[in-house]
Amino acid sequence: MGQSTNSDASVRELIAFRVGRQEFCINVMAVREIRGWTVATALPRSPRYVRGVINLRGAVLPIVELAVRLGLPSNEPSARNVIIVVQIAHQQIGLLVDAVSDILTAKDSNIQPTPDVSSDLVKTFVKGLLPVDGRMISLISLDHVLPQGEMEAA
Amino acid sequence: MSTTVLTVDDSRAMRDMLRHSLLAAGFRVLQAEDGLHGLEVLETERPDVIVTDINMPRMDGFGFIEAVRRDETRRSTPVLVLTTEVDAEKKNRARAAGATGWIVKPFDPIKLVEAIRRVAA
Amino acid sequence: MDPMAAIRETFFQECEEQLAELEAGLILMESGAAEAETVNAVFRAVHSIKGGAGIFALDALVRFAHVFETALDQVRSGTLATGPGVMNLLLRAADVLADLVRAARDNGAVDETRTAALVVEFTQISNLGHEPPPPPKSQPAAAAPVPAWQISFTPTPPLYAKANETALLLRELRRLGPIEVTVDTTNLPELSEMDPEGAYLTWNITLEADCAEQAIRNVFEFVEDDCHLEITAATPAEPSLKPGDVITGDNGFSFEFFPPPVFDEEEPLAPPEPEHHEPPPAPVAKQSPVEVMAAKAESAAAVSATIRVDLDRVDRMIDLVGELVINEAMLSQRVLEAGIARASGVAMALEELEHLTREIQDSVMAIRAQPVRSVFQRMPRLVREVAAQTGKQARLVTEGEGTEVDKTVIERIADPLTHMIRNAIDHGLESPEKRLAAGKPAEGLVRLTALHRSGRIVLEVSDDGAGINRARVKEKAIENGLISPDAALTDDEIDNLIFLPGFSTASTVSDISGRGVGMDVVRQSVAALGGRISISSRPGHGSTFTLSLPLTLAVLDGMVISARGHTLIIPLGAIVETLKPKAADVFPLDGEINVIRLRGGYVPMVDVAASLGYSDEFVEPDQSVALLVEGEGGVRAVLLADAIHGQRQVVIKSLEANYRAVPGIAAATVMGDGRVALILDVDAVVKTTRSELSRPEPSVLEAH
């Protein structure tokens, strides 16, 4: 985190995490905190990927099960799971992931373009691919984690 | 040290206006909401000039000026009275109470500062 | 924000406070209960508005406020008696002043003929001028500036008593041009005869300046009555003074420029000149009897210091205290789970903590609390206007203005109260003729009362009018298809029909109550605040509307229930009663909806878990608990749940802040175990089953 103020705009710090067998990463600047899993209160008539809401020091925080959001199989969360609290515009949401795997520093030039595939989910979320030690980490965008138009609803 | 001015006025808008004008002129500004409050401020502060309104709740400007003039350690402080219009009777009462001078409202910030400068040592 | 714009905003805020004070004071004066301080406060209110309006050059406002103020000054000094005619004029002037303030604020227009007419009235009662006095005419300037002036200046003791200083006057003169000063000490007495606060010196000044005499007189403006001043044209003198120059008097008295004027060290050195001596002012200025009384009233009035705090800060604190309460509850639960004895030191300290926490919560909530006075103060004008429009005579009596309630509640009770009062005058009070014929005074009474009752605020609007015409109400309800012609209703039920949507008793929609808003809308807006409204009426004696509201919108009294494993909160205000349903009372209305027989009527049932989509299966009614709830417009339903866990006050949390509105859910809260529980939106849940069944309960169904 200490290097997040790096003035070189082409270098960014990323936080990598596992969802199922895949690895993803997001910009560390968007992350507010990382906490353990607690049982969420289900919300009626919500999309399947919204696990419900939890209490984050008095604020009601919606929890998005990233696996489901990205079209991967759902897993019943356990104490080993992690919630990454991220700030998107004026709202905070919790991303339910399997585990945080790495903190990376990447130059823009390291990030490979996403191949043109037909998957809408890939088009919506995957902004680039990052090769690290033989692994492939997908850089994802958080703008559309909650369905369009809803972020402004508040 | 910059000149300290105590303003005594029950109107928030007027207080804000006085503060704004006086700070802009480089004065240090103390503010009180009525005569009694003004006297409380004077217990711990020694302003160089006092600017007071006349019509105020609890203790009006006349009472306030008289109290200042009765106080051995404060009576040499110049007190300027804010009067809304040229009301000879009010001006005379303020003078009788011991006002040093007066400023006619609605005041022009330049004239306000000028009047303070005139009576400040 | 631009500082001037901010000050302007403050000014208009302050105007609203002054206008409220003005009106309250005038009403007190009208009732004859006014003390001298009331009159002073009324005067001050108008005076302050005028003063502020001057800053912003709001000329129309300044002009009218001046005329108004002058009249009030005459009232204050006792030269204008406050008979009914004058009081009426003053009250109308207050209304016009309010209009002028708002027009100035919103850059709007006012009815100028009304303003002008009032000014004429004021002129007639008190011989006032139409305009504020012109600014002081400066004295005619000297014919031609001369290059030099000879000034003779002899201060008298009052000059020093008022903290004026010769040195400063000389400094001021020097701004006009170089000066040369000599001191005449002829009148200096022997030291033994000297009055330490006397003034014995005459200063002769030669001013070398090409200025008008008036410019010199202006320098002495503040002291002209406390000195002898002679100004004559002279030939320039040499040399002029430079800063730091020392003036030396004939007898060795020296005077340096810019000395700190220390009053006590002033050394007067000459005997007073009898012909120049002015009697010093009396130590205390003479006060008029009114002012003496005012001074007493002022000293008697309780003084409470106030501070202004940003609302965000208070809300933040309320949030944090809410957290503290939750954390404390969690800690208690953990301690209990750990099997620590209740009598142990830990448990006892915890109890103490719980006590403190509740007290902090109450105190913090009290910060947002405000007296309902600000809303009550708007009502007298409304009563006057509605009475005038309807040709009725009405007097408003208010009680309990000091009753406190959360700021957000205050902001939202003004509208319902306005409607209730309009309604009381328009529909409640009879015309003066009818009242006289019924043996009542021509002037009707509208009473507005606020009080606290079991953790809620209760507002009552009562009138001494004719009461509800039940025959007419029933007829109207049948006409509008709200009840069937053979429905057997109690008097109370008939009275409360006026709250049904689409009900209006007035045969012609009047200008007053009929602004497209009926009592049903009032009831809905009250329900939205977690409140209830009811009416009781005695034919011939009048009606009373009773409005009860929670003291704050930040917390809610709720019933904790569980439905298929989900914990939910149902606002207590919506619950009419809890039931234990019997299978024999439940009937299917169609494939989806069951109704339950309840005291002869049928009420639709809603399975809470199913309606929220938590479950596809419907709970067996006799396996569940049931709550009879009432939503907007008095629409009722029976909610089915698995269990009731008791009542609880909860802190309301927004779902929208980080997510979005959820259908069927009003808000969320955090329970003692730290988990989020959802607060049911009773109206929405009731409505989902009611699209075809929008008839009111229970009357309609009873009549079937």
Side-chain angles (χ1 to χ4, degrees), chain C residues 600-669:
Chain C
Y602 295 90
V603 183
M605 302 175 76
V606 180
D607 182 308
V608 172
S611 82
L612 293 177
Y614 284 152
S615 164
D616 295 335
E617 290 168 36
F618 288 86
V619 66
E620 285 304 319
D622 56 352
Q623 303 286 302
S624 58
V625 292
L627 302 109
L628 177 63
V629 296
E630 192 177 78
E632 269 177 27
V635 184
R636 292 182 172 198
V638 167
L639 303 184
L640 294 180
D642 295 333
I644 292 175
H645 304 290
Q647 294 181 16
R648 200 192 137 104
Q649 198 171 64
V650 299
V651 177
I652 297 173
K653 303 280 180 187
S654 155
L655 270 179
E656 287 95 323
N658 285 321
Y659 188 53
R660 55 171 164 161
V662 176
I665 300 299
T669 189

Side-chain angles (χ1 to χ4, degrees), chain A residues 35-122:
Chain A
R35 36 189 303 133
W37 163 251
T38 40
V39 180
T41 300
L43 290 171
R45 298 192 187 87
S46 301
R48 236 171 34 90
Y49 55 81
V50 176
R51 292 279 329 185
V53 286
I54 63 164
N55 163 31
L56 179 71
R57 286 184 301 281
V60 175
L61 186 79
I63 302 299
V64 170
E65 186 176 359
L66 207 55
V68 180
R69 186 68 183 116
L70 298 174
L72 305 170
S74 169
N75 272 314
E76 199 47 42
S78 71
R80 286 195 307 274
N81 284 80
V82 169
I83 291 171
I84 302 175
V85 181
V86 294
Q87 181 87 35
I88 306 169
H90 301 296
Q91 295 185 314
Q92 289 193 354
I93 64 169
L95 302 176
L96 173 64
V97 302
D98 290 346
V100 171
S101 55
D102 214 344
I103 293 184
L104 315 161
T105 307
K107 285 199 184 115
D108 279 0
S109 54
N110 299 142
I111 299 169
Q112 306 298 313
T114 317
D116 192 9
V117 292
S118 64
S119 162
D120 279 341
L121 282 170
V122 169

Side-chain angles (χ1 to χ4, degrees), chain C residues 245-258:
Chain C
D245 278 358
V246 173
I247 306 156
T248 307
D250 290 344
N251 61 351
F253 176 86
S254 75
F255 169 74
E256 191 176 351
F257 264 90
F258 313 127

Side-chain angles (χ1 to χ4, degrees), chain C residues 297-447:
Chain C
E298 280 166 12
S299 57
V303 171
S304 64
T306 57
I307 56 161
R308 294 170 68 84
V309 180
D310 209 28
L311 208 52
D312 289 349
R313 290 195 195 179
V314 175
D315 289 347
R316 171 83 188 128
M317 189 152 86
I318 287 176
D319 264 7
L320 286 174
V321 170
E323 285 323 292
L324 182 64
V325 170
I326 290 161
N327 268 292
E328 184 276 325
M330 283 167 72
L331 183 60
S332 293
Q333 204 162 324
R334 297 277 148 77
V335 166
L336 210 67
E337 284 164 9
I340 292 169
R342 285 198 178 276
S344 70
V346 170
M348 279 167 49
L350 203 56
E351 204 167 297
E352 193 80 351
L353 177 67
E354 183 181 341
H355 195 72
L356 264 174
T357 311
R358 299 285 159 192
E359 226 164 89
I360 292 173
Q361 190 177 32
D362 288 349
S363 309
V364 170
M365 289 301 182
I367 293 178
R368 280 185 62 107
Q370 290 188 333
V372 293
R373 185 172 292 114
S374 59
V375 173
F376 274 28
Q377 279 169 342
R378 292 186 224 169
M379 298 305 157
R381 175 176 186 175
L382 177 77
V383 169
R384 283 197 297 282
E385 288 181 347
V386 176
Q389 284 166 20
T390 54
K392 292 173 181 176
Q393 290 181 22
R395 185 160 58 94
L396 179 71
V397 173
T398 56
E399 273 173 43
E401 295 95 331
T403 310
E404 290 192 330
V405 65
D406 189 84
K407 188 177 155 54
T408 48
V409 176
I410 292 211
E411 284 160 2
R412 293 161 80 172
I413 59 172
D415 279 354
L417 270 189
T418 302
H419 283 294
M420 284 156 71
I421 287 179
R422 274 182 197 284
N423 191 78
I425 300 169
D426 196 20
H427 297 310
L429 295 183
E430 315 91 323
S431 65
E433 303 76 41
K434 276 192 191 157
R435 288 182 63 90
L436 289 172
K440 295 181 188 177
E443 186 181 60
L445 184 71
V446 176
R447 186 181 292 275

Side-chain angles (χ1 to χ4, degrees), chain B residues 9-21 33-34 36 40 53-60 62-63 65-67 69-70 72-80 82-87 89-107 109 114-121, chain C residues 3-4 6-7 10-14 17-18 37 40 43-44 47-48 50-52 54-56 66 69 73 76 132-136 160-165 168-169 171-172 175 197 217-226 259-264 281-287 291 295 298-299 303-304 306 308:
Chain B
D9 199 311
D10 60 324
S11 156
R12 257 193 334 273
M14 197 58 77
R15 282 201 301 276
D16 288 354
M17 187 71 198
L18 286 164
R19 169 183 291 275
H20 177 63
S21 308
E33 296 178 11
D34 57 38
L36 280 185
E40 280 168 31
D53 190 25
I54 293 290
N55 284 286
M56 293 180 290
R58 299 208 297 160
M59 180 190 274
D60 66 12
F62 303 130
I65 298 167
E66 283 162 8
R69 291 289 173 251
R70 276 197 299 271
E72 286 294 320
T73 61
R74 298 285 182 269
R75 64 175 179 175
S76 62
T77 312
V79 182
L80 294 173
L82 286 165
T83 60
T84 319
E85 71 285 329
V86 182
D87 179 337
E89 192 261 343
K90 241 175 238 150
K91 206 159 89 179
N92 286 338
R93 277 194 59 197
R95 290 175 44 74
T100 310
W102 53 90
I103 298 159
V104 177
K105 286 196 284 187
F107 62 80
E114 174 74 7
I116 289 170
R117 212 192 37 69
R118 267 170 77 173
V119 297
Chain C
M4 285 311 291
I7 294 170
T10 305
F11 165 66
F12 283 116
Q13 272 171 16
E14 207 163 31
E17 291 161 25
Q18 305 282 10
E37 174 49 21
N40 279 334
F43 173 84
R44 266 201 312 272
H47 182 80
S48 287
K50 186 179 90 170
I55 302 180
F56 300 105
H66 176 74
E69 178 194 28
D73 203 22
R76 197 162 67 144
Y160 297 110
K162 291 168 192 166
N164 273 299
E165 281 299 328
L168 298 176
L169 292 164
R171 184 179 74 180
E172 204 58 30
R175 286 162 62 86
E197 299 196 352
R217 295 224 170 256
N218 284 345
V219 170
F220 294 94
E221 182 192 4
F222 292 163
V223 298
E224 59 186 358
D225 295 335
D226 298 321
V262 183
F263 189 92
D264 291 337
V284 177
K286 252 191 176 170
Q287 285 180 313
E291 285 157 346
E298 280 166 12
S299 57
V303 171
S304 64
T306 57
R308 294 170 68 84

